[in-house]
Amino acid sequence: MFSKNTYISRRKQLKQQLSGGVVLFLANNEASMNYPSNTYRYRQDSSFTYFYGLQIAGLVGVIDIDEDKEILFGDDYGIDDIIWMGNQPTIADLAC
């Protein structure tokens, strides 16, 4: 969507506006129509998109204002996923 610096700037601005604490952003999960592998077209949570810009299901973003840390949690793709989709970036790569 936008450059990664846009999302970094948005998270930085949020940290400046809050006095302390932890902020939690949950990405949406995929929703199945009639069985788990048949899903509706994915739509990310708007807040998660605004602050992280990632369109991947099941991620969790944490901003620890007191420690000035930003953490992204998620599962990397396994070999079964890579066979169908090809090489995918790891969660560590996406967090940069």
Side-chain angles (χ1 to χ4, degrees), residues 41-60:
R41 184 169 177 257
Y42 183 71
R43 176 139 177 9
Q44 185 60 278
D45 175 76
S46 298
S47 297
F48 194 89
T49 299
Y50 183 80
F51 287 105
Y52 288 91
L54 299 173
Q55 300 296 319
I56 300 172
L59 297 178
V60 175

Side-chain angles (χ1 to χ4, degrees), residues 15-85:
K15 288 190 284 187
Q16 292 171 347
Q17 292 175 350
L18 299 173
S19 60
V22 176
V23 183
L24 177 69
F25 294 96
L26 300 173
N28 286 336
N29 288 320
E30 292 197 57
S32 60
M33 289 187 226
N34 51 4
Y35 65 96
S37 295
N38 186 20
T39 59
Y40 289 103
R41 184 169 177 257
Y42 183 71
R43 176 139 177 9
Q44 185 60 278
D45 175 76
S46 298
S47 297
F48 194 89
T49 299
Y50 183 80
F51 287 105
Y52 288 91
L54 299 173
Q55 300 296 319
I56 300 172
L59 297 178
V60 175
V62 176
I63 300 175
D64 187 338
I65 297 168
D66 298 325
E67 298 293 325
D68 194 27
K69 291 184 180 178
E70 299 173 19
I71 307 165
L72 184 65
F73 294 96
D75 293 325
D76 285 324
Y77 291 107
I79 189 67
D80 293 334
D81 301 311
I82 294 171
I83 287 172
W84 290 103
M85 300 185 303

